[in-house]
Amino acid sequence: MADFEERGSLLGDEDEVPLAGRQEASGPGRPMSAICDPSHLLHRVVVLVFMCFLGFGSYFCYDNPAALQTQVIQDMNLNTAEFMQLYAWYSWPNVVLCFLGGFLIDRVFGIRLGTLIFSLFVCIGQVIFAAGAWANHFWLMEAGRFVFGIGGESLAVAQNTYAVNWFKGKELNLVFGLQLSMARLGSTVNMNIMGWVYSKVAVAVGSSGHTALGISLMIAAGTCVFSLICALVLAFFDKRAERILHKEQGRTGEVIKLTDVKDFSLSLWLIFIICVFYYVAIFPFIGQGQVFFIEKFNFSPAQARAVNSIVYIISAPASPILGFIVDKTGRNIGWVFAAVIATLCAHMMLAFTFWNPWIAMSLLGLSYSLLACALWPMVAFVVPEHQLGTAYGFMQSIQNLGLAVIAILVGIIVDIRGYLVLEVFFCSCICIALMAVVGLYIVDFLKGGGLNRSAAARAKLQKETSTDAERKRQPSMGMQGGSAARLSSMSAFGLRNRYLSRLGAKLPDHCSTHLSTLAHRSVLK
Amino acid sequence: MAAAETAGTGRVFVILVVVFSLCESLFSGGDSYKRELTVTLYPNSTPSGGELLHVKAVGGNDTLHFLFCSQGAPTLLMVHTNSSSSTVKVNWTEFLARNTSGSLTVEPQSSVLYSTAVVFSRLLEYDDENDTAEAKSNFFPAYELKDFIWTQMNLSDSTATLCGSPPRSGKGSLCLQLSVFGSEGRVDLCPRLLHSANSSQLEVWINGLPPRSNTSRFMLELEGVGGAYPLSMNRVDVRKFIDDEYAPSIFQVSLWVSSPNNDSDILGFVQWKPVAYRKSHPSLEDATPCRNSDPQQQNGNSTSASSALIKAFYSDPVAMGMNVSFGIAGEPYYNSTMFLSWTMLMGVGSPPVDSISPMVIGILTAGLGIPIVLLLGGGAFILIAKKRESSGYEPIN
């Protein structure tokens, strides 16, 4: 019976024309134009546009320091270690906030107010950052980045929660893909435009210096204001849809229990190690890459910024494609291994040769996208669903901790020992990740090889366990009639994750589709 | 003949300095050739500078003579002889008179293998109002270094420092510091050029010279003087290297070599890293790139006229001029710190080549080696485990 209901709702979700049944449920029944009807696809596309631009400002401004590296260092009289503090301060609040984001959205603020508050933090943070540059106070710039960080990552949580609330099933994949692309678009546009903006401002002001820097950053804050407006519009649409469709406010559905940490398996800890040591070789490198390309390869500043942004440009189209491939073929550990090796090759190319860095950076972009698609879903394979929230939160928290600490270390290494030693340091981080991948394969093999199954084998296992579980569940369906309404809103996503988590753990009393979004929120990082 | 070997009116200080320096790098692979250094200073009777410093670096079967003089334009002359007992003879009165050549000779004459000199002739300043660092126009009147007022040489350890200030204003100074080495090693201060026993290092810095505009940049003019085998007339070579450990963010070395036929053995070189520093104890953010022009032939006679040492040693000098300009477009101007320093290496034979430090090699070996070992070990383990599984066990059901 649950099967039929689930099938029915799946069809209903994917259909473009609202079914008669749904229209009755959707309220007063007076005919609305397609674009005003919250359940109609056209209206949801409009909402999607605003949803995508919600995160644009945050990603645009996150990499402002990297795009203006030489200007920031010269105008504020910094060395590389102090410059990298701007990235460290962004990551510090997220060590704690990763755990609190879901809680704040579900219990304290609600999705609409929460999104507004986080957008406001992003906007105010960027304004403080710009003001610090304009007034020539570096401590104010660091404070601005701290405030910006409070809003930035939590805004991504809110963006994902909106997506899950408005879109279901196969649409959700597309929506996540679009959100990712918008994020990457923001980063790319930032890298390539901010230098030009600065030069124009410097001409207008009369000379380059911290005043020109402050004004350029204020202009960048304009994108954050734009995102704030999108947040307001989204809040309006969401409230209106809630009123018309009588649906609940979106929830992240995350449950964080820090005591769950003791239950984490060795495989999961190895996945954490891979995550931390891999990403610290990517983001801090991009953060200070511009000067490296200018000095070693004799690039012009514009060329250096372009090659720095190629990682983001490539990951925008590559992530959905690679995600599709990884989903189809399975064998996640193999893909992670390939991605880590490719990144190691890229860094060694940059360190030991003078080959055109476009090659190495393109390889870096591809491998980074591949790893994101293959690594994060693995968490869902090894962790029971009721602990997924804690697992993802913990993973992001230590990732941010690693980024904060390593960003400072990177700056110090460059100042004292130069870029070759820095690249060797990155190579050694990747090698640690490589060791963790090999360890993960061995541990997983000893446990029965669940992580590296091909997709076909996994599907076969799903079918066997699902028929078993259905037979077991039939008698108890009557008792659980009340929760049938909850179960009936299962999407394909939720189904897959649910059955996959059954491969290892007892099915809990409640299930939530929203936990599937956790995998995709993290892909944005 | 009387007092030919000794200074006419002044005293001769003979300072015996024997330098035993251990190899600074952990691996002494490379040039472990050592020389013994002897320093002689010929002071001038007049209170201002004009001294002649002679450093003799004696090796197994050859000698390098370094002569550093501030009479006129500061000049560093290097003579390589194939005997370990060659000496320098100076006719001081003729030397001071600067009328004839031959007042400074290396005896025996037949043992001279190679000689070259670098004369610092002018310091140029130009107004870079458009921030292009093109150095083609807007030149202010140049500082002629032969007219500078030079102080007495300050000798310490194995270095000699010489400072001079502009003739009229007297504000600010241009200093040169010569270090001669008895063995391979690296100086502690950026750019930490690698030197061998066959080379000497000369650091030039401008301190406090008042700029004539807020957007001015400086250029130093050098002349490379040679006799039989002068420094290259065409080009300055640039060698790229992946290791920037010792001079962060500098991946190139510029070489001005003299080789009889292009691409045969290098007889002598002038080497530098294309970077200048804007502070006296610099770090990465104080580095400013510098560029050099192509060498161009100059009038040998005017070089002789500007430098006493050239006049004394060379009868028919061949001079090649080269400009080193400090700063490129986008870099801070001179008035941000009022300090610029640049270092060069001058020596015989092939220039020393940097190598990757043992620390980097160690980290790489460990970093790559351990995963490979793990991979092979784990792979073997899994193969064995799979073999054991596939053989023997039959499921009951």
Side-chain angles (χ1 to χ4, degrees):
Chain A
M1 193 164 119
D3 251 67
F4 168 80
E5 262 178 284
E6 282 161 354
R7 232 179 280 131
S9 64
L10 278 173
L11 276 176
D13 287 341
E14 287 161 45
D15 208 345
E16 291 192 8
V17 177
L19 291 175
R22 281 196 67 115
Q23 232 172 5
E24 276 166 14
S26 62
R30 71 167 188 277
M32 281 183 280
S33 67
I35 204 166
C36 292
D37 181 2
S39 57
H40 197 277
L41 180 71
L42 198 52
H43 177 89
R44 292 188 299 146
V45 166
V46 171
V47 170
L48 175 64
V49 170
F50 286 106
M51 224 183 274
C52 288
F53 278 104
L54 184 63
F56 183 84
S58 157
Y59 286 100
F60 185 93
C61 294
Y62 168 75
D63 262 326
N64 268 342
L68 293 173
Q69 186 182 358
T70 36
Q71 289 87 341
V72 171
I73 288 184
Q74 258 178 33
D75 294 343
M76 307 296 297
N77 278 324
L78 308 171
N79 57 23
T80 319
E82 288 166 342
F83 169 78
M84 290 305 282
Q85 291 269 22
L86 293 174
Y87 281 98
W89 280 110
Y90 177 90
S91 295
W92 286 123
N94 292 306
V95 175
V96 172
L97 270 176
C98 285
F99 293 117
L100 294 180
F103 171 75
L104 288 171
I105 288 180
D106 287 348
R107 305 271 195 89
V108 181
F109 296 125
I111 180 69
R112 290 190 287 270
L113 188 60
T115 311
L116 275 173
I117 290 180
F118 294 137
S119 284
L120 215 58
F121 265 102
V122 162
C123 211
I124 291 177
Q126 179 68 12
V127 167
I128 296 178
F129 181 55
W134 189 65
N136 204 10
H137 289 308
F138 186 62
W139 58 267
L140 197 57
M141 291 177 84
E142 289 173 313
R145 288 291 283 184
F146 183 79
V147 173
F148 180 76
I150 294 177
E153 298 276 304
S154 313
L155 193 60
V157 176
Q159 200 178 13
N160 274 4
T161 312
Y162 263 127
V164 168
N165 198 29
W166 280 80
F167 299 92
K168 302 273 185 293
K170 293 203 180 122
E171 297 172 337
L172 207 49
N173 272 342
L174 184 65
V175 166
F176 284 141
L178 276 173
Q179 282 185 343
L180 180 77
S181 298
M182 283 310 293
R184 295 297 168 237
L185 185 70
S187 304
T188 307
V189 169
N190 160 65
M191 284 286 187
N192 290 300
I193 273 196
M194 280 313 286
W196 176 83
V197 167
Y198 181 89
S199 57
K200 286 280 175 273
V201 169
V203 165
V205 165
S207 70
S208 61
H210 60 89
T211 318
L213 184 66
I215 296 177
S216 314
L217 292 172
M218 278 296 183
I219 295 176
T223 57
C224 296
V225 171
F226 175 61
S227 291
L228 185 61
I229 295 174
C230 290
L232 284 164
V233 169
L234 270 179
F236 164 70
F237 277 136
D238 195 60
K239 185 145 186 85
R240 183 171 171 274
E242 187 181 312
R243 180 176 42 91
I244 295 176
L245 296 178
H246 302 303
K247 64 176 182 177
E248 283 181 359
Q249 224 185 86
R251 308 171 70 78
T252 62
E254 258 176 64
V255 175
I256 305 267
K257 271 201 307 187
L258 283 176
T259 49
D260 285 345
V261 173
K262 66 173 168 42
D263 294 333
F264 288 163
S265 60
L266 178 61
S267 305
L268 189 61
W269 285 106
L270 285 169
I271 293 178
F272 288 162
I273 292 177
I274 298 171
C275 172
V276 172
F277 282 99
Y278 182 85
Y279 283 107
V280 298
I282 304 279
F283 290 109
F285 171 67
I286 295 178
Q288 54 78 52
Q290 192 195 3
V291 174
F292 175 60
F293 293 120
I294 293 176
E295 297 293 345
K296 179 162 182 182
F297 300 97
N298 286 325
F299 273 20
S300 72
Q303 282 175 317
R305 277 180 227 124
V307 80
N308 218 10
S309 68
I310 198 75
V311 172
Y312 296 136
I313 296 180
I314 286 187
S315 101
S319 291
I321 298 175
L322 290 170
F324 179 74
I325 295 176
V326 171
D327 277 350
K328 278 278 165 254
T329 59
R331 302 213 183 278
N332 289 49
I333 300 188
W335 290 113
V336 170
F337 184 77
V340 173
I341 293 273
T343 308
L344 185 64
C345 289
H347 270 297
M348 293 191 74
M349 264 196 261
L350 287 169
F352 298 112
T353 71
F354 281 95
W355 295 347
N356 200 331
W358 287 96
I359 305 172
M361 290 304 274
S362 306
L363 189 60
L364 200 68
L366 279 171
S367 56
Y368 158 71
S369 314
L370 181 60
L371 186 113
C373 297
L375 184 72
W376 295 88
M378 275 209 281
V379 177
F381 298 161
V382 294
V383 169
E385 200 167 320
H386 60 286
Q387 290 182 339
L388 263 184
T390 315
Y392 277 119
F394 195 78
M395 193 154 157
Q396 280 197 291
S397 171
I398 51 170
Q399 183 197 41
N400 276 298
L401 184 65
L403 285 174
V405 170
I406 298 292
I408 304 176
L409 194 62
V410 159
I412 294 176
I413 290 177
V414 169
D415 279 338
I416 296 182
R417 274 282 176 240
Y419 288 100
L420 178 76
V421 175
L422 179 70
E423 284 291 342
V424 167
F425 170 74
F426 283 141
C427 288
S428 51
C429 286
I430 304 271
C431 287
I432 295 176
L434 192 61
M435 287 192 261
V437 175
V438 174
L440 183 63
Y441 182 76
I442 296 175
V443 166
D444 183 60
F445 176 78
L446 290 174
K447 280 200 202 156
L451 285 175
N452 212 27
R453 279 202 190 89
S454 69
R458 215 169 260 147
K460 205 168 78 165
L461 211 53
Q462 269 180 40
K463 240 187 269 173
E464 288 169 16
T465 48
S466 75
T467 43
D468 277 343
E470 282 313 306
R471 249 178 274 132
K472 281 193 211 136
R473 270 213 347 224
Q474 287 294 359
S476 61
M477 254 346 278
M479 291 188 286
Q480 293 195 13
S483 50
R486 200 81 187 278
L487 285 171
S488 69
S489 64
M490 281 282 255
S491 65
F493 236 110
L495 270 177
R496 187 178 74 195
N497 268 346
R498 184 170 150 200
Y499 288 130
L500 289 171
S501 69
R502 282 193 192 184
L503 295 179
K506 224 170 51 169
L507 189 68
D509 291 340
H510 70 281
C511 294
S512 173
T513 55
H514 307 298
L515 287 174
S516 64
T517 71
L518 289 168
H520 278 254
R521 177 210 322 171
S522 319
V523 171
L524 286 172
K525 197 62 193 101
Chain B
M1 280 309 161
E5 285 88 353
T6 56
T9 48
R11 293 162 289 143
V12 175
F13 295 108
V14 178
I15 305 161
L16 197 78
V17 175
V18 177
V19 175
F20 292 108
S21 48
L22 298 167
C23 277
E24 286 169 57
S25 51
L26 292 176
F27 289 173
S28 60
D31 191 14
S32 51
Y33 191 57
K34 287 191 174 39
R35 290 182 187 273
E36 274 183 33
L37 303 179
T38 315
V39 178
T40 315
L41 185 63
Y42 298 85
N44 197 5
S45 53
T46 59
S48 69
E51 294 148 310
L52 173 69
L53 179 75
H54 170 219
V55 183
K56 190 159 91 166
V58 180
N61 55 1
D62 66 348
T63 311
L64 268 179
H65 296 274
F66 290 101
L67 292 128
F68 188 42
C69 178
S70 56
Q71 281 268 18
T75 310
L76 177 64
L77 169 68
M78 177 178 71
V79 184
H80 186 208
T81 62
N82 64 359
S83 109
S84 54
S85 55
S86 56
T87 51
V88 161
K89 289 193 170 41
V90 180
N91 187 333
W92 197 236
T93 34
E94 279 184 22
F95 184 89
L96 289 175
R98 292 164 75 169
N99 280 333
T100 54
S101 70
S103 48
L104 187 144
T105 53
V106 175
E107 302 290 332
Q109 286 268 22
S110 52
S111 66
V112 174
L113 291 173
Y114 171 75
S115 71
T116 193
V118 169
V119 180
F120 294 90
S121 47
R122 291 195 299 171
L123 184 66
L124 301 149
E125 186 181 350
Y126 64 98
D127 191 3
D128 190 18
E129 20 177 51
N130 291 335
D131 202 7
T132 55
E134 291 261 300
K136 291 215 169 66
S137 54
N138 292 346
F139 280 99
F140 295 109
Y143 292 102
E144 296 281 345
L145 293 181
K146 67 180 193 299
D147 296 329
F148 267 41
I149 303 165
W150 298 103
T151 62
Q152 302 209 318
M153 278 198 206
N154 193 348
L155 297 175
S156 71
D157 284 349
S158 53
T159 63
T161 316
L162 174 71
C163 282
S165 40
R168 276 175 293 280
S169 58
K171 270 191 283 197
S173 60
L174 181 140
C175 298
L176 299 108
Q177 185 176 68
L178 172 71
S179 317
V180 183
F181 306 106
S183 62
E184 187 181 290
R186 232 178 257 279
V187 178
D188 252 344
L189 223 52
C190 277
R192 299 197 196 107
L193 290 168
L194 175 68
H195 60 254
S196 64
N198 287 337
S199 54
S200 68
Q201 178 176 289
L202 194 60
E203 189 187 338
V204 184
W205 67 89
I206 318 171
N207 192 1
L209 212 58
R212 282 169 275 194
S213 97
N214 276 340
T215 53
S216 63
R217 295 195 198 274
F218 278 97
M219 221 157 72
L220 184 65
E221 188 184 272
L222 314 169
E223 285 174 0
V225 181
Y229 303 115
L231 292 166
S232 164
M233 304 203 198
N234 310 321
R235 64 181 198 277
V236 172
D237 299 314
V238 171
R239 215 188 261 171
K240 283 205 211 180
F241 188 62
I242 57 171
D243 191 359
D244 69 332
E245 251 181 288
Y246 299 107
S249 83
I250 309 299
F251 291 93
Q252 299 169 328
V253 172
S254 301
L255 282 172
W256 197 10
V257 301
S258 74
S259 49
N261 318 307
N262 289 329
D263 300 332
S264 65
D265 284 335
I266 297 179
L267 294 176
F269 63 89
V270 173
Q271 184 186 62
W272 67 92
K273 288 201 174 155
V275 63
Y277 290 100
R278 283 181 276 117
K279 287 220 182 97
S280 53
H281 287 283
S283 49
L284 172 61
E285 64 268 17
D286 305 316
T288 185
C290 61
R291 280 197 254 126
N292 60 272
S293 66
D294 284 329
Q296 275 179 328
Q297 184 123 29
Q298 309 277 80
N299 186 345
N301 287 335
S302 60
T303 315
S304 290
S306 64
S307 161
L309 193 52
I310 300 293
K311 185 77 190 175
F313 187 75
Y314 287 104
S315 51
D316 190 18
V318 177
M320 307 299 301
M322 185 191 68
N323 291 333
V324 178
S325 64
F326 305 118
I328 55 173
E331 290 285 321
Y333 295 108
Y334 168 73
N335 67 348
S336 60
T337 53
M338 307 279 268
F339 185 90
L340 271 176
S341 90
W342 179 72
T343 311
M344 62 169 245
L345 213 61
M346 184 159 111
V348 295
S350 284
V353 178
D354 261 326
S355 60
I356 303 184
S357 79
M359 173 186 82
V360 168
I361 296 179
I363 295 179
L364 265 180
T365 320
L368 287 176
I370 298 181
I372 292 179
V373 164
L374 209 61
L375 206 63
L376 292 172
F381 170 73
I382 286 176
L383 274 173
I384 296 174
K386 276 200 174 139
K387 277 247 167 67
R388 216 177 282 156
E389 252 181 47
S390 60
S391 69
Y393 180 67
E394 300 251 341
I396 298 174
N397 203 348

